[in-house]
Amino acid sequence: MTAPAAAPAAALAVPFSRTVHAEWIKFRSLRSTWYTLAGLGFAGLGITALGMSTVGVDYANLTAAERADWDPTNQSLTTYLIAQLIIGVLGILVVTSEHATGLIQTSLAATPRRHRLLAAKAVLLTGVAAVTGQALMFISFFLGQTMLAAQGVPNASLGDPGVLSAVLGGGVYLTAIALLAVGLGTILRTTAGALVTLVSIVFLVPGFAGLFPSGLAGILDFWPSQGAAAVLTTLPNPDYPYPWLNLGGMCLGVAAVLTVAFVLFRRRDV
Amino acid sequence: MNRIDVRGLTKRYGPDTAVDDLSFTVEPGQVTGFLGPNGAGKSTTMKIIMGLASPTHGSVTISGRHYRDLPVPLTHVGALLDAGAVHGSRTAHSHLLALAASNGLPARRVGTVLERTGLTSVAGKHAGGFSLGMRQRLGIAAALLGDPQVLIFDEPVNGLDPEGIRWIRGFMRSLAHEGRAVLVSSHLMSEMAQTADHLVVIGRGKLIADTSMTDFMTANGVGTVLVRCSEPGVFARLLTAAGATVRDGPESSLVVSDLAAGEIGKLAAYHSVVLSELSPQQASLEDAFMELTKDSLEYLGATS
Ligand SMILES: Nc1ncnc2c1ncn2[C@@H]1O[C@H](COP(=O)(O)OP(=O)(O)O)[C@@H](O)[C@H]1O
Ligand SMILES: [Mg+2]
């Protein structure tokens, strides 16, 4: 550390870890946090269990060509579609609930350096989403493969080519969506507005992809639920030869949204 | 020193000027009443002091620094701007614990401030179920967490029952007595009379008065006695010699302050001065305040 005489004021300043710790206390002390996380577990695994329960019948009816495209890993990870919304809600609420209650004034009085406060929220959500999202992806994978095995359908194990990459990619994907949600919550400030925007991004925009002018269509290669989710597959896809690049592209987009959020958060009155 | 310096503060919202070239100082060891009708710009000024809103012009410093440059803000300034500014599903204890952690304060401070504000028994209850008075106390507890030397309260007694009002008044006095600088806003003069040592009065964002409470009372005839007698000139000299402050009133009467009516009567009897009137003035602080802010109220009435 620096010499004691250097800067007493700076030495006494609050370390960033304290700001993150405070955000963690706020996060864990809300019952809704735990309800939402429980919902993530139930819905996330429930969808996997439902989806996998009838796959044995589906598989029996597949042609040989279709069986060549059989991707049991991807089958067991499709629950990410719903998980991204639930994790997104957590990311949105960590900002918008403070605006809704006025608590943001108290938080900024305690931590007036605004970038520090928003960064602490982003760090917290990164940790929460990485842990819960990754856990969900692993459990979902094992649950799905166990059910496939029970039905006598070809299934994957973690050591098979591309499987670990897909499961880890799912965790990274969900973490990036959580950060997108923090950014949207900061920019829009209302829970409803941010949630509608998030749903539009992950579900509606891909649905209207056909209407895009050809120049814009390329962006879908890096869009949530689209190209960015290619990382969740294990079979080579000619459209996305390097799926981690597609996920990387989405992360850049999320970074752009967060940058706007940081700029606005510093500028605005609360 | 622990003080708030507001210098040339202006805040515009579009074409509207909420705060207009406002300057004043909040000194330690006293309660400074920040008084003005609704919409005068009190809350806006306090938000700017706290760095929650940015001024269009001017600046505010606390002990010589901008709020955002305070290394551990809660140990310098404690504020209660909006009692509703808590998450209703969080317990009082968790709310305070998060605030304490954010400034690296020891967790035992939470227990200390809960006790000082009389909330210990409801520490584990959700703030959403609190009455307004309990929320005010929780807000004050948060303000006291870092044991700050500067305290800011925006309309702390609004909506409280008489018991709550009395508690808060006593509390402000004791904080100032401990040497802290206390800034309290209100739109009612009567609330200030028993609490404030110093008054900063604003209307339409502009400074109207910046004066000690005693001077304000004297200047507005509160606590003065109107005296009529046969020889006002002579009696005025006697009164002054006895320590009173005397000025000429209407129709060759005398307006006497710093001496009670009974003492004035005794003095007159001793010197055989014949009094034809000896009447303590009833002009209330509220009247004085209304008179002072009349212009800004008329303006508000005309536009709304
Ligand atoms: N965020 C805002 N946007 C626009 N006008 C505002 C805003 N906040 C306050 N004002 C206006 O500024 C003026 C001062 O308001 P305020 O500071 O709340 O007064 P006070 O606290 O003295 O009642 C009012 O006319 C109010 O309408
Ligand atoms: Mg106000």
mmCIF file of all heavy atoms in Angstrom, chain A residues 9 12-14 18 21-22 25-26 29-31 101-103 105-106 108-110 112-114 269-270, chain B residues 11 47 50-54 67-68 71-73 84-87 90 94-95 98-99 101-103 126:
data_model
loop_
_atom_site.group_PDB
_atom_site.id
_atom_site.type_symbol
_atom_site.label_atom_id
_atom_site.label_comp_id
_atom_site.label_asym_id
_atom_site.label_seq_id
_atom_site.Cartn_x
_atom_site.Cartn_y
_atom_site.Cartn_z
ATOM 1 N N ALA A 9 -7.238 11.215 3.088
ATOM 2 C CA ALA A 9 -8.642 11.182 2.692
ATOM 3 C C ALA A 9 -8.918 9.939 1.854
ATOM 4 O O ALA A 9 -9.880 9.221 2.085
ATOM 5 C CB ALA A 9 -9.007 12.433 1.911
ATOM 6 N N LEU A 12 -9.028 6.750 3.794
ATOM 7 C CA LEU A 12 -10.218 6.537 4.598
ATOM 8 C C LEU A 12 -11.461 6.275 3.756
ATOM 9 O O LEU A 12 -12.490 5.907 4.276
ATOM 10 C CB LEU A 12 -10.479 7.767 5.480
ATOM 11 C CG LEU A 12 -9.468 7.985 6.602
ATOM 12 C CD1 LEU A 12 -9.683 9.331 7.265
ATOM 13 C CD2 LEU A 12 -9.566 6.874 7.628
ATOM 14 N N ALA A 13 -11.343 6.488 2.443
ATOM 15 C CA ALA A 13 -12.514 6.327 1.592
ATOM 16 C C ALA A 13 -13.009 4.890 1.631
ATOM 17 O O ALA A 13 -12.268 3.963 1.935
ATOM 18 C CB ALA A 13 -12.179 6.729 0.161
ATOM 19 N N VAL A 14 -14.293 4.728 1.337
ATOM 20 C CA VAL A 14 -14.914 3.411 1.400
ATOM 21 C C VAL A 14 -14.427 2.551 0.231
ATOM 22 O O VAL A 14 -14.508 2.978 -0.912
ATOM 23 C CB VAL A 14 -16.445 3.555 1.321
ATOM 24 C CG1 VAL A 14 -17.105 2.207 1.517
ATOM 25 C CG2 VAL A 14 -16.940 4.558 2.340
ATOM 26 N N ARG A 18 -17.131 -2.750 -0.173
ATOM 27 C CA ARG A 18 -18.196 -2.411 0.781
ATOM 28 C C ARG A 18 -19.489 -2.069 0.051
ATOM 29 O O ARG A 18 -20.581 -2.402 0.506
ATOM 30 C CB ARG A 18 -17.798 -1.191 1.630
ATOM 31 C CG ARG A 18 -16.543 -1.389 2.413
ATOM 32 C CD ARG A 18 -16.820 -2.219 3.641
ATOM 33 N NE ARG A 18 -15.632 -2.334 4.459
ATOM 34 C CZ ARG A 18 -15.591 -2.947 5.618
ATOM 35 N NH1 ARG A 18 -16.677 -3.501 6.080
ATOM 36 N NH2 ARG A 18 -14.484 -3.019 6.291
ATOM 37 N N HIS A 21 -20.954 -5.216 -1.050
ATOM 38 C CA HIS A 21 -21.513 -5.916 0.114
ATOM 39 C C HIS A 21 -22.872 -5.334 0.498
ATOM 40 O O HIS A 21 -23.819 -6.056 0.810
ATOM 41 C CB HIS A 21 -20.528 -5.838 1.290
ATOM 42 C CG HIS A 21 -20.982 -6.602 2.493
ATOM 43 N ND1 HIS A 21 -20.800 -6.154 3.775
ATOM 44 C CD2 HIS A 21 -21.643 -7.776 2.600
ATOM 45 C CE1 HIS A 21 -21.333 -7.024 4.626
ATOM 46 N NE2 HIS A 21 -21.841 -8.021 3.935
ATOM 47 N N ALA A 22 -22.968 -3.993 0.472
ATOM 48 C CA ALA A 22 -24.238 -3.342 0.797
ATOM 49 C C ALA A 22 -25.319 -3.763 -0.194
ATOM 50 O O ALA A 22 -26.466 -4.030 0.189
ATOM 51 C CB ALA A 22 -24.076 -1.820 0.782
ATOM 52 N N ILE A 25 -26.514 -7.167 0.731
ATOM 53 C CA ILE A 25 -27.441 -7.151 1.868
ATOM 54 C C ILE A 25 -28.832 -6.736 1.398
ATOM 55 O O ILE A 25 -29.837 -7.355 1.751
ATOM 56 C CB ILE A 25 -26.942 -6.201 2.974
ATOM 57 C CG1 ILE A 25 -25.637 -6.725 3.572
ATOM 58 C CG2 ILE A 25 -27.999 -6.024 4.059
ATOM 59 C CD1 ILE A 25 -24.983 -5.784 4.566
ATOM 60 N N LYS A 26 -28.897 -5.710 0.558
ATOM 61 C CA LYS A 26 -30.200 -5.270 0.045
ATOM 62 C C LYS A 26 -30.867 -6.392 -0.736
ATOM 63 O O LYS A 26 -32.063 -6.630 -0.617
ATOM 64 C CB LYS A 26 -30.008 -4.057 -0.884
ATOM 65 C CG LYS A 26 -29.744 -2.760 -0.177
ATOM 66 C CD LYS A 26 -30.010 -1.619 -1.143
ATOM 67 C CE LYS A 26 -28.800 -0.766 -1.318
ATOM 68 N NZ LYS A 26 -28.948 0.211 -2.389
ATOM 69 N N SER A 29 -32.011 -9.391 1.473
ATOM 70 C CA SER A 29 -32.990 -9.102 2.517
ATOM 71 C C SER A 29 -34.395 -8.898 1.953
ATOM 72 O O SER A 29 -35.301 -8.544 2.695
ATOM 73 C CB SER A 29 -32.556 -7.875 3.325
ATOM 74 O OG SER A 29 -32.452 -6.747 2.489
ATOM 75 N N LEU A 30 -34.573 -9.111 0.670
ATOM 76 C CA LEU A 30 -35.925 -9.046 0.109
ATOM 77 C C LEU A 30 -36.441 -10.456 -0.114
ATOM 78 O O LEU A 30 -35.790 -11.269 -0.764
ATOM 79 C CB LEU A 30 -35.915 -8.289 -1.220
ATOM 80 C CG LEU A 30 -35.740 -6.778 -1.147
ATOM 81 C CD1 LEU A 30 -35.803 -6.184 -2.541
ATOM 82 C CD2 LEU A 30 -36.812 -6.153 -0.255
ATOM 83 N N ARG A 31 -37.636 -10.723 0.395
ATOM 84 C CA ARG A 31 -38.201 -12.046 0.222
ATOM 85 C C ARG A 31 -38.428 -12.327 -1.265
ATOM 86 O O ARG A 31 -38.297 -13.449 -1.728
ATOM 87 C CB ARG A 31 -39.523 -12.116 0.992
ATOM 88 C CG ARG A 31 -39.755 -13.470 1.611
ATOM 89 C CD ARG A 31 -41.033 -13.459 2.413
ATOM 90 N NE ARG A 31 -40.840 -13.018 3.787
ATOM 91 C CZ ARG A 31 -41.826 -12.621 4.568
ATOM 92 N NH1 ARG A 31 -43.054 -12.562 4.095
ATOM 93 N NH2 ARG A 31 -41.597 -12.267 5.812
ATOM 94 N N THR A 101 -39.549 3.110 -5.088
ATOM 95 C CA THR A 101 -39.757 3.405 -3.676
ATOM 96 C C THR A 101 -39.101 4.722 -3.249
ATOM 97 O O THR A 101 -39.372 5.205 -2.163
ATOM 98 C CB THR A 101 -39.154 2.289 -2.802
ATOM 99 O OG1 THR A 101 -37.776 2.140 -3.148
ATOM 100 C CG2 THR A 101 -39.862 0.975 -3.033
ATOM 101 N N GLY A 102 -38.239 5.272 -4.087
ATOM 102 C CA GLY A 102 -37.516 6.474 -3.692
ATOM 103 C C GLY A 102 -36.234 6.139 -2.943
ATOM 104 O O GLY A 102 -35.445 7.017 -2.605
ATOM 105 N N LEU A 103 -36.023 4.841 -2.704
ATOM 106 C CA LEU A 103 -34.827 4.404 -1.977
ATOM 107 C C LEU A 103 -33.543 4.855 -2.678
ATOM 108 O O LEU A 103 -32.499 5.021 -2.031
ATOM 109 C CB LEU A 103 -34.842 2.878 -1.841
ATOM 110 C CG LEU A 103 -33.661 2.237 -1.130
ATOM 111 C CD1 LEU A 103 -33.604 2.692 0.323
ATOM 112 C CD2 LEU A 103 -33.748 0.717 -1.199
ATOM 113 N N GLN A 105 -32.675 7.632 -3.573
ATOM 114 C CA GLN A 105 -32.140 8.845 -2.939
ATOM 115 C C GLN A 105 -31.271 8.481 -1.735
ATOM 116 O O GLN A 105 -30.193 9.046 -1.549
ATOM 117 C CB GLN A 105 -33.281 9.752 -2.469
ATOM 118 C CG GLN A 105 -34.065 10.369 -3.614
ATOM 119 C CD GLN A 105 -35.014 11.456 -3.136
ATOM 120 O OE1 GLN A 105 -35.113 11.743 -1.947
ATOM 121 N NE2 GLN A 105 -35.712 12.068 -4.079
ATOM 122 N N THR A 106 -31.782 7.550 -0.935
ATOM 123 C CA THR A 106 -31.030 7.128 0.247
ATOM 124 C C THR A 106 -29.734 6.446 -0.178
ATOM 125 O O THR A 106 -28.674 6.673 0.402
ATOM 126 C CB THR A 106 -31.881 6.166 1.092
ATOM 127 O OG1 THR A 106 -33.194 6.723 1.219
ATOM 128 C CG2 THR A 106 -31.295 5.961 2.461
ATOM 129 N N LEU A 108 -28.030 6.866 -2.930
ATOM 130 C CA LEU A 108 -27.066 7.815 -3.494
ATOM 131 C C LEU A 108 -26.533 8.787 -2.438
ATOM 132 O O LEU A 108 -25.432 9.311 -2.582
ATOM 133 C CB LEU A 108 -27.691 8.581 -4.665
ATOM 134 C CG LEU A 108 -27.774 7.782 -5.968
ATOM 135 C CD1 LEU A 108 -28.530 8.565 -7.035
ATOM 136 C CD2 LEU A 108 -26.385 7.419 -6.475
ATOM 137 N N ALA A 109 -27.310 9.006 -1.386
ATOM 138 C CA ALA A 109 -26.782 9.815 -0.291
ATOM 139 C C ALA A 109 -25.642 9.051 0.390
ATOM 140 O O ALA A 109 -24.638 9.638 0.785
ATOM 141 C CB ALA A 109 -27.883 10.137 0.710
ATOM 142 N N ALA A 110 -25.794 7.736 0.486
ATOM 143 C CA ALA A 110 -24.756 6.917 1.117
ATOM 144 C C ALA A 110 -23.587 6.683 0.160
ATOM 145 O O ALA A 110 -22.436 6.580 0.592
ATOM 146 C CB ALA A 110 -25.339 5.584 1.573
ATOM 147 N N PRO A 112 -22.524 8.568 -3.055
ATOM 148 C CA PRO A 112 -22.817 9.623 -4.034
ATOM 149 C C PRO A 112 -22.081 9.460 -5.366
ATOM 150 O O PRO A 112 -22.471 10.080 -6.345
ATOM 151 C CB PRO A 112 -22.387 10.906 -3.319
ATOM 152 C CG PRO A 112 -21.475 10.475 -2.235
ATOM 153 C CD PRO A 112 -21.823 9.073 -1.876
ATOM 154 N N ARG A 113 -21.038 8.633 -5.376
ATOM 155 C CA ARG A 113 -20.366 8.411 -6.660
ATOM 156 C C ARG A 113 -21.201 7.425 -7.451
ATOM 157 O O ARG A 113 -21.232 6.233 -7.160
ATOM 158 C CB ARG A 113 -18.955 7.896 -6.439
ATOM 159 C CG ARG A 113 -18.069 9.035 -5.941
ATOM 160 C CD ARG A 113 -16.699 8.560 -5.631
ATOM 161 N NE ARG A 113 -16.224 9.279 -4.457
ATOM 162 C CZ ARG A 113 -15.173 8.912 -3.765
ATOM 163 N NH1 ARG A 113 -14.509 7.837 -4.098
ATOM 164 N NH2 ARG A 113 -14.795 9.625 -2.733
ATOM 165 N N ARG A 114 -21.873 7.947 -8.425
ATOM 166 C CA ARG A 114 -22.950 7.174 -9.057
ATOM 167 C C ARG A 114 -22.442 5.970 -9.829
ATOM 168 O O ARG A 114 -23.066 4.918 -9.813
ATOM 169 C CB ARG A 114 -23.761 8.096 -9.947
ATOM 170 C CG ARG A 114 -24.436 9.161 -9.112
ATOM 171 C CD ARG A 114 -25.426 9.919 -9.916
ATOM 172 N NE ARG A 114 -26.171 10.824 -9.045
ATOM 173 C CZ ARG A 114 -27.280 11.428 -9.419
ATOM 174 N NH1 ARG A 114 -27.756 11.231 -10.620
ATOM 175 N NH2 ARG A 114 -27.898 12.214 -8.588
ATOM 176 N N ASP A 269 -31.030 13.797 -12.497
ATOM 177 C CA ASP A 269 -31.475 14.060 -11.130
ATOM 178 C C ASP A 269 -32.316 12.862 -10.687
ATOM 179 O O ASP A 269 -32.948 12.225 -11.510
ATOM 180 C CB ASP A 269 -32.374 15.312 -11.088
ATOM 181 C CG ASP A 269 -31.586 16.594 -11.367
ATOM 182 O OD1 ASP A 269 -30.350 16.507 -11.494
ATOM 183 O OD2 ASP A 269 -32.221 17.654 -11.473
ATOM 184 N N VAL A 270 -32.298 12.602 -9.367
ATOM 185 C CA VAL A 270 -33.190 11.545 -8.879
ATOM 186 C C VAL A 270 -34.186 12.129 -7.872
ATOM 187 O O VAL A 270 -34.001 13.207 -7.380
ATOM 188 C CB VAL A 270 -32.414 10.385 -8.208
ATOM 189 C CG1 VAL A 270 -31.569 9.685 -9.235
ATOM 190 C CG2 VAL A 270 -31.598 10.872 -7.037
ATOM 191 N N LYS B 11 -31.617 26.690 -9.707
ATOM 192 C CA LYS B 11 -32.055 25.449 -10.349
ATOM 193 C C LYS B 11 -33.253 25.749 -11.231
ATOM 194 O O LYS B 11 -34.269 26.249 -10.753
ATOM 195 C CB LYS B 11 -32.426 24.401 -9.293
ATOM 196 C CG LYS B 11 -32.961 23.094 -9.868
ATOM 197 C CD LYS B 11 -31.907 22.290 -10.586
ATOM 198 C CE LYS B 11 -32.446 20.952 -11.084
ATOM 199 N NZ LYS B 11 -31.415 20.185 -11.808
ATOM 200 N N LYS B 47 -32.066 18.680 -2.051
ATOM 201 C CA LYS B 47 -31.598 17.644 -2.979
ATOM 202 C C LYS B 47 -30.266 18.052 -3.605
ATOM 203 O O LYS B 47 -29.389 17.205 -3.823
ATOM 204 C CB LYS B 47 -32.626 17.427 -4.092
ATOM 205 C CG LYS B 47 -33.750 16.505 -3.719
ATOM 206 C CD LYS B 47 -34.568 16.220 -4.974
ATOM 207 C CE LYS B 47 -35.703 15.276 -4.697
ATOM 208 N NZ LYS B 47 -36.460 14.993 -5.933
ATOM 209 N N MET B 50 -27.455 17.511 -1.268
ATOM 210 C CA MET B 50 -27.122 16.082 -1.155
ATOM 211 C C MET B 50 -26.582 15.493 -2.457
ATOM 212 O O MET B 50 -26.358 14.278 -2.543
ATOM 213 C CB MET B 50 -28.363 15.288 -0.755
ATOM 214 C CG MET B 50 -28.980 15.684 0.570
ATOM 215 S SD MET B 50 -27.856 15.397 1.934
ATOM 216 C CE MET B 50 -27.675 13.629 1.842
ATOM 217 N N GLY B 51 -26.433 16.310 -3.470
ATOM 218 C CA GLY B 51 -25.916 15.801 -4.740
ATOM 219 C C GLY B 51 -26.918 14.957 -5.514
ATOM 220 O O GLY B 51 -26.536 14.251 -6.440
ATOM 221 N N LEU B 52 -28.201 15.034 -5.143
ATOM 222 C CA LEU B 52 -29.199 14.218 -5.830
ATOM 223 C C LEU B 52 -29.720 14.906 -7.082
ATOM 224 O O LEU B 52 -30.230 14.266 -7.996
ATOM 225 C CB LEU B 52 -30.361 13.894 -4.890
ATOM 226 C CG LEU B 52 -29.964 13.098 -3.646
ATOM 227 C CD1 LEU B 52 -31.141 12.983 -2.684
ATOM 228 C CD2 LEU B 52 -29.471 11.713 -4.037
ATOM 229 N N ALA B 53 -29.629 16.226 -7.082
ATOM 230 C CA ALA B 53 -29.977 16.990 -8.277
ATOM 231 C C ALA B 53 -28.815 17.938 -8.540
ATOM 232 O O ALA B 53 -28.128 18.356 -7.604
ATOM 233 C CB ALA B 53 -31.271 17.772 -8.059
ATOM 234 N N SER B 54 -28.588 18.244 -9.806
ATOM 235 C CA SER B 54 -27.453 19.125 -10.105
ATOM 236 C C SER B 54 -27.968 20.547 -10.308
ATOM 237 O O SER B 54 -29.019 20.760 -10.909
ATOM 238 C CB SER B 54 -26.720 18.633 -11.343
ATOM 239 O OG SER B 54 -27.636 18.437 -12.388
ATOM 240 N N TYR B 67 -20.553 17.398 -1.891
ATOM 241 C CA TYR B 67 -21.069 16.185 -1.258
ATOM 242 C C TYR B 67 -20.430 14.921 -1.818
ATOM 243 O O TYR B 67 -20.019 14.035 -1.093
ATOM 244 C CB TYR B 67 -22.593 16.105 -1.400
ATOM 245 C CG TYR B 67 -23.188 15.000 -0.566
ATOM 246 C CD1 TYR B 67 -23.565 15.229 0.748
ATOM 247 C CD2 TYR B 67 -23.321 13.709 -1.070
ATOM 248 C CE1 TYR B 67 -24.080 14.215 1.536
ATOM 249 C CE2 TYR B 67 -23.833 12.684 -0.296
ATOM 250 C CZ TYR B 67 -24.208 12.946 1.007
ATOM 251 O OH TYR B 67 -24.696 11.927 1.787
ATOM 252 N N ARG B 68 -20.330 14.858 -3.149
ATOM 253 C CA ARG B 68 -19.851 13.592 -3.740
ATOM 254 C C ARG B 68 -18.363 13.364 -3.452
ATOM 255 O O ARG B 68 -17.858 12.267 -3.673
ATOM 256 C CB ARG B 68 -20.130 13.551 -5.239
ATOM 257 C CG ARG B 68 -19.309 14.514 -6.030
ATOM 258 C CD ARG B 68 -19.382 14.288 -7.523
ATOM 259 N NE ARG B 68 -18.676 15.376 -8.172
ATOM 260 C CZ ARG B 68 -19.172 16.573 -8.376
ATOM 261 N NH1 ARG B 68 -20.416 16.815 -8.049
ATOM 262 N NH2 ARG B 68 -18.446 17.540 -8.915
ATOM 263 N N PRO B 71 -15.343 11.498 1.611
ATOM 264 C CA PRO B 71 -14.832 10.132 1.510
ATOM 265 C C PRO B 71 -15.777 9.090 2.111
ATOM 266 O O PRO B 71 -15.972 8.026 1.537
ATOM 267 C CB PRO B 71 -13.501 10.179 2.250
ATOM 268 C CG PRO B 71 -13.507 11.439 3.033
ATOM 269 C CD PRO B 71 -14.465 12.379 2.390
ATOM 270 N N VAL B 72 -16.355 9.388 3.260
ATOM 271 C CA VAL B 72 -17.314 8.466 3.879
ATOM 272 C C VAL B 72 -18.566 9.296 4.186
ATOM 273 O O VAL B 72 -18.739 9.782 5.301
ATOM 274 C CB VAL B 72 -16.729 7.834 5.164
ATOM 275 C CG1 VAL B 72 -17.649 6.726 5.664
ATOM 276 C CG2 VAL B 72 -15.334 7.280 4.920
ATOM 277 N N PRO B 73 -19.438 9.463 3.211
ATOM 278 C CA PRO B 73 -20.503 10.472 3.298
ATOM 279 C C PRO B 73 -21.350 10.411 4.555
ATOM 280 O O PRO B 73 -21.632 11.448 5.168
ATOM 281 C CB PRO B 73 -21.360 10.193 2.062
ATOM 282 C CG PRO B 73 -20.470 9.479 1.113
ATOM 283 C CD PRO B 73 -19.470 8.727 1.939
ATOM 284 N N GLY B 84 -40.716 8.119 3.022
ATOM 285 C CA GLY B 84 -41.200 6.963 2.276
ATOM 286 C C GLY B 84 -40.104 6.260 1.503
ATOM 287 O O GLY B 84 -40.329 5.208 0.909
ATOM 288 N N ALA B 85 -38.887 6.828 1.515
ATOM 289 C CA ALA B 85 -37.816 6.302 0.667
ATOM 290 C C ALA B 85 -37.156 5.058 1.249
ATOM 291 O O ALA B 85 -35.947 4.990 1.414
ATOM 292 C CB ALA B 85 -36.770 7.391 0.409
ATOM 293 N N VAL B 86 -37.979 4.064 1.581
ATOM 294 C CA VAL B 86 -37.458 2.763 2.000
ATOM 295 C C VAL B 86 -38.207 1.700 1.217
ATOM 296 O O VAL B 86 -39.309 1.942 0.740
ATOM 297 C CB VAL B 86 -37.665 2.506 3.511
ATOM 298 C CG1 VAL B 86 -36.756 3.355 4.340
ATOM 299 C CG2 VAL B 86 -39.123 2.740 3.899
ATOM 300 N N HIS B 87 -37.621 0.538 1.063
ATOM 301 C CA HIS B 87 -38.327 -0.561 0.417
ATOM 302 C C HIS B 87 -39.208 -1.217 1.469
ATOM 303 O O HIS B 87 -38.708 -1.700 2.482
ATOM 304 C CB HIS B 87 -37.320 -1.559 -0.160
ATOM 305 C CG HIS B 87 -37.915 -2.456 -1.195
ATOM 306 N ND1 HIS B 87 -39.003 -3.255 -0.928
ATOM 307 C CD2 HIS B 87 -37.609 -2.661 -2.499
ATOM 308 C CE1 HIS B 87 -39.330 -3.921 -2.032
ATOM 309 N NE2 HIS B 87 -38.499 -3.568 -2.998
ATOM 310 N N ARG B 90 -38.469 -4.638 3.163
ATOM 311 C CA ARG B 90 -37.222 -4.860 3.887
ATOM 312 C C ARG B 90 -37.460 -4.520 5.352
ATOM 313 O O ARG B 90 -38.204 -3.593 5.660
ATOM 314 C CB ARG B 90 -36.133 -3.965 3.290
ATOM 315 C CG ARG B 90 -34.785 -4.631 3.213
ATOM 316 C CD ARG B 90 -33.794 -3.779 2.438
ATOM 317 N NE ARG B 90 -33.526 -4.325 1.123
ATOM 318 C CZ ARG B 90 -33.620 -3.630 -0.005
ATOM 319 N NH1 ARG B 90 -33.961 -2.369 0.009
ATOM 320 N NH2 ARG B 90 -33.360 -4.201 -1.156
ATOM 321 N N SER B 94 -32.495 -4.576 8.298
ATOM 322 C CA SER B 94 -31.768 -4.827 7.049
ATOM 323 C C SER B 94 -31.512 -3.531 6.275
ATOM 324 O O SER B 94 -30.444 -3.344 5.686
ATOM 325 C CB SER B 94 -32.558 -5.773 6.142
ATOM 326 O OG SER B 94 -32.754 -6.998 6.774
ATOM 327 N N HIS B 95 -32.517 -2.669 6.281
ATOM 328 C CA HIS B 95 -32.375 -1.376 5.602
ATOM 329 C C HIS B 95 -31.156 -0.621 6.146
ATOM 330 O O HIS B 95 -30.308 -0.142 5.401
ATOM 331 C CB HIS B 95 -33.655 -0.566 5.821
ATOM 332 C CG HIS B 95 -33.608 0.834 5.300
ATOM 333 N ND1 HIS B 95 -33.625 1.121 3.957
ATOM 334 C CD2 HIS B 95 -33.533 2.029 5.935
ATOM 335 C CE1 HIS B 95 -33.569 2.437 3.781
ATOM 336 N NE2 HIS B 95 -33.502 3.009 4.971
ATOM 337 N N ALA B 98 -27.667 -2.431 5.468
ATOM 338 C CA ALA B 98 -27.125 -2.198 4.123
ATOM 339 C C ALA B 98 -26.487 -0.816 4.037
ATOM 340 O O ALA B 98 -25.395 -0.657 3.478
ATOM 341 C CB ALA B 98 -28.232 -2.339 3.081
ATOM 342 N N LEU B 99 -27.155 0.176 4.635
ATOM 343 C CA LEU B 99 -26.591 1.527 4.603
ATOM 344 C C LEU B 99 -25.263 1.581 5.362
ATOM 345 O O LEU B 99 -24.293 2.185 4.904
ATOM 346 C CB LEU B 99 -27.577 2.529 5.209
ATOM 347 C CG LEU B 99 -28.742 2.929 4.299
ATOM 348 C CD1 LEU B 99 -29.727 3.787 5.070
ATOM 349 C CD2 LEU B 99 -28.215 3.686 3.090
ATOM 350 N N ALA B 101 -23.192 -0.866 5.905
ATOM 351 C CA ALA B 101 -22.170 -1.592 5.146
ATOM 352 C C ALA B 101 -21.632 -0.745 3.999
ATOM 353 O O ALA B 101 -20.430 -0.765 3.705
ATOM 354 C CB ALA B 101 -22.759 -2.896 4.600
ATOM 355 N N SER B 102 -22.514 0.021 3.368
ATOM 356 C CA SER B 102 -22.088 0.798 2.200
ATOM 357 C C SER B 102 -21.033 1.835 2.560
ATOM 358 O O SER B 102 -20.286 2.291 1.704
ATOM 359 C CB SER B 102 -23.282 1.485 1.546
ATOM 360 O OG SER B 102 -23.705 2.577 2.343
ATOM 361 N N ASN B 103 -20.995 2.238 3.838
ATOM 362 C CA ASN B 103 -20.007 3.209 4.266
ATOM 363 C C ASN B 103 -18.971 2.592 5.203
ATOM 364 O O ASN B 103 -18.236 3.301 5.889
ATOM 365 C CB ASN B 103 -20.676 4.408 4.946
ATOM 366 C CG ASN B 103 -21.136 5.457 3.946
ATOM 367 O OD1 ASN B 103 -20.754 6.612 4.015
ATOM 368 N ND2 ASN B 103 -21.961 5.036 2.989
ATOM 369 N N HIS B 126 -41.146 -5.433 8.810
ATOM 370 C CA HIS B 126 -41.039 -4.807 7.489
ATOM 371 C C HIS B 126 -41.438 -3.337 7.548
ATOM 372 O O HIS B 126 -42.450 -2.981 8.145
ATOM 373 C CB HIS B 126 -41.929 -5.544 6.488
ATOM 374 C CG HIS B 126 -41.374 -6.879 6.117
ATOM 375 N ND1 HIS B 126 -42.047 -7.785 5.331
ATOM 376 C CD2 HIS B 126 -40.192 -7.461 6.408
ATOM 377 C CE1 HIS B 126 -41.299 -8.866 5.160
ATOM 378 N NE2 HIS B 126 -40.179 -8.695 5.823
#
